[in-house]
Amino acid sequence: MARRNEHSKAQLRTLAIAAVRAIVAEQGPDKLSVRKVAEHIGYTPGMLYHVFACLDDLILHANAVTLDGLLQRMQAATALSPAEALQTMAGQYLALAREEPHLWQLVFMHRMPQAAAVPAWYQQRTLQLFVLVEDQMARLSAQQDAAAVHLAARTLWSSVHGISVLAVENKLSIAGDVDETAMLQSLIHHYLASWARNSVNGDDA
Amino acid sequence: MARRNEHSKAQLRTLAIAAVRAIVAEQGPDKLSVRKVAEHIGYTPGMLYHVFACLDDLILHANAVTLDGLLQRMQAATALSPAEALQTMAGQYLALAREEPHLWQLVFMHRMPQAAAVPAWYQQRTLQLFVLVEDQMARLSAQQDAAAVHLAARTLWSSVHGISVLAVENKLSIAGDVDETAMLQSLIHHYLASWARNSVNGDDA
DNA sequence: CTCGCTATTGAACAATGTTCAGCTGAGAGG
DNA sequence: CCTCTCAGCTGAACATTGTTCAATAGCGAG
């Protein structure tokens, strides 16, 4: 049995991506394998290499779907006031981590082999995420230059990311339970409170 | 050749741990393998399983060494004023990430298989790290209750962690270079500025 | 109906972690 | 000095991983 032509190349890609997401969501990132994906869609492992460059390529495409969903959820908050928008966006970030921890892990804990470069079409999505935050920061404090907003947005969102990472890994509950939502609120509230007030030289000491 | 008795069990453990650290420091976490460790110390792979439960056990022990070094570096800052101490500690956290990125990755990006529990002797080290931060936060604001300090310390340090993670992965430079040191300073400065002032209910909205 | 082209197979490869029966040599007892 | 025992260590095996590619099977053009 060869040359079945049951699916177009694009359909095969979509099927494979869906299979990855299904397998990871159920069994976790480390239970993912090329053979499982192939079996899941009724093909052999070899086929996948005519449609994706390698497993990492396939994973990246699966992650793009997850990221697009996250971006859409975060975008919905842009109508609110800047501070509320940022709080809501952080909430969505954490919500995804809690609703779909395995898919979240696949996105944010997957490493490229030997630090190989992430393709541009993928980088563009992570960039969008930061831009979304940056826009709200800019709205919050009009008199700041672009560089300051750039720095503050990356500072704040890297922090949100850090809290979410440790939340997913349960590394925080080792000393009594902590409410990650409260942590995010505390972070954003306090950081913005001081930053928006005076940030001309909020750096050394 | 069997039964050589050249090294004691404890020596073998130390040798293996050193080998792991050498291999990872040079070649990165994903190039680590049981066979490489064994070859590095002149033994066969099987031997390692008489001295460690599995590869993850060995990795955890190698990570403990790295963590102890980090803790020592951070402890040296406790003599400073609280705000300066926290800034310096964060600096050490980032410094390690930059000096030994591979070892840092092995510590902070290694996942236990299927989210298996991290042993207590290891958890104790990550806890110490938080306690170090907590102590400084407590010094900073005496009138706060333990729960508030607990929350704020974990919030702040998870954020420091998040910035360091993205720094190691170079996920921040995708939109022009950002100075991670400046980010850490901004984070700590602004968060502490607002938190130390009034933190009775720095939560909702 | 036939033929060619290509999508798909399936078997092979190297490398991974892990297990364990068995060997071999160090050290106790003679 | 010899011997015997016991355990530290070996080495080969297993299952599983990603990846490659010659071979093939069947669709669609002629």
Side-chain angles (χ1 to χ4, degrees):
Chain A
M1 35 167 154
R3 179 73 203 213
R4 345 186 199 155
N5 258 17
E6 292 175 358
H7 303 286
S8 73
K9 214 162 180 174
Q11 281 179 315
L12 286 174
R13 290 170 70 94
T14 308
L15 279 173
I17 290 169
V20 166
R21 291 172 51 82
I23 293 166
V24 169
E26 281 177 30
Q27 313 182 34
D30 40 293
K31 292 297 177 189
L32 179 70
S33 77
V34 179
R35 284 171 175 81
K36 267 187 200 160
V37 174
E39 192 190 20
H40 202 271
I41 61 178
Y43 281 82
T44 50
M47 187 233 81
L48 292 170
Y49 289 85
H50 286 276
V51 165
F52 293 99
C54 59
L55 178 59
D56 284 293
D57 183 32
L58 172 52
I59 289 176
L60 244 42
H61 278 86
N63 283 346
V65 175
T66 309
L67 265 183
D68 285 341
L70 176 60
L71 280 168
Q72 217 167 346
R73 287 171 72 153
M74 287 175 60
Q75 216 130 23
T78 51
L80 302 169
S81 75
E84 283 178 321
L86 289 168
Q87 289 279 9
T88 306
M89 286 177 181
Q92 295 293 350
Y93 206 80
L94 180 63
L96 179 63
R98 288 214 265 231
E99 291 166 21
E100 296 285 10
H102 289 152
L103 288 177
W104 198 94
Q105 280 178 268
L106 195 67
V107 173
F108 292 110
M109 289 158 185
H110 176 252
R111 313 273 147 255
M112 283 284 115
Q114 58 143 35
V118 175
W121 61 263
Y122 189 85
Q123 279 198 20
Q124 204 245 339
R125 284 182 165 82
T126 28
L127 179 57
Q128 273 181 44
L129 213 146
F130 277 113
V131 168
L132 226 51
V133 176
E134 215 168 327
D135 285 350
Q136 300 304 316
M137 301 287 286
R139 279 215 296 156
L140 195 68
S141 184
Q143 79 273 11
Q144 307 223 16
D145 57 283
V149 171
H150 184 94
L151 179 83
R154 268 147 194 79
T155 301
L156 184 64
W157 213 251
S158 300
S159 303
V160 168
H161 177 72
I163 291 173
S164 302
V165 167
L166 297 190
V168 166
E169 297 180 24
N170 285 331
K171 292 211 172 166
L172 292 170
S173 55
I174 60 174
D177 281 285
V178 254
D179 181 4
E180 293 93 12
T181 304
M183 289 176 62
L184 286 179
Q185 287 177 342
S186 170
L187 168 72
I188 296 176
H189 173 81
H190 288 305
Y191 185 78
L192 291 186
S194 172
W195 181 78
R197 188 179 299 116
N198 68 319
S199 65
V200 186
N201 52 358
D203 294 5
D204 48 288
Chain B
M1 35 167 155
R3 180 74 203 210
R4 344 185 199 158
N5 257 17
E6 291 174 359
H7 303 284
S8 73
K9 213 161 179 172
Q11 281 179 314
L12 286 174
R13 290 170 70 93
T14 309
L15 279 174
I17 290 169
V20 166
R21 290 171 53 82
I23 293 167
V24 169
E26 280 178 30
Q27 312 181 35
D30 41 292
K31 293 296 176 189
L32 179 71
S33 77
V34 178
R35 283 170 176 82
K36 269 187 199 160
V37 174
E39 192 191 21
H40 202 272
I41 62 178
Y43 282 82
T44 50
M47 187 234 85
L48 292 170
Y49 290 84
H50 286 277
V51 166
F52 293 98
C54 59
L55 178 58
D56 284 293
D57 184 32
L58 172 51
I59 289 177
L60 243 42
H61 279 87
N63 283 346
V65 175
T66 309
L67 265 183
D68 285 341
L70 177 59
L71 280 168
Q72 217 167 345
R73 287 171 74 154
M74 286 176 59
Q75 216 129 24
T78 50
L80 303 169
S81 75
E84 282 178 322
L86 289 168
Q87 289 279 5
T88 306
M89 287 178 180
Q92 296 292 352
Y93 205 80
L94 181 62
L96 180 63
R98 287 213 265 232
E99 289 166 22
E100 296 285 9
H102 289 153
L103 288 177
W104 198 94
Q105 280 178 268
L106 196 67
V107 173
F108 292 110
M109 288 160 188
H110 176 252
R111 311 274 146 255
M112 285 282 116
Q114 59 143 37
V118 175
W121 61 265
Y122 189 85
Q123 279 198 19
Q124 203 245 340
R125 284 181 166 84
T126 28
L127 178 58
Q128 271 180 46
L129 214 145
F130 277 113
V131 168
L132 228 50
V133 176
E134 216 170 327
D135 285 348
Q136 299 305 315
M137 302 285 289
R139 280 216 295 155
L140 197 67
S141 185
Q143 77 273 12
Q144 309 224 14
D145 57 284
V149 170
H150 185 93
L151 178 83
R154 269 147 193 81
T155 300
L156 184 63
W157 213 251
S158 302
S159 303
V160 168
H161 177 73
I163 291 173
S164 303
V165 167
L166 298 190
V168 166
E169 298 181 24
N170 286 330
K171 292 213 174 168
L172 292 171
S173 57
I174 61 174
D177 279 284
V178 254
D179 181 5
E180 294 93 12
T181 305
M183 288 175 63
L184 286 179
Q185 288 177 341
S186 170
L187 168 72
I188 296 176
H189 171 82
H190 288 305
Y191 185 78
L192 291 186
S194 171
W195 182 77
R197 187 179 301 119
N198 66 320
S199 65
V200 186
N201 51 359
D203 294 3
D204 48 289

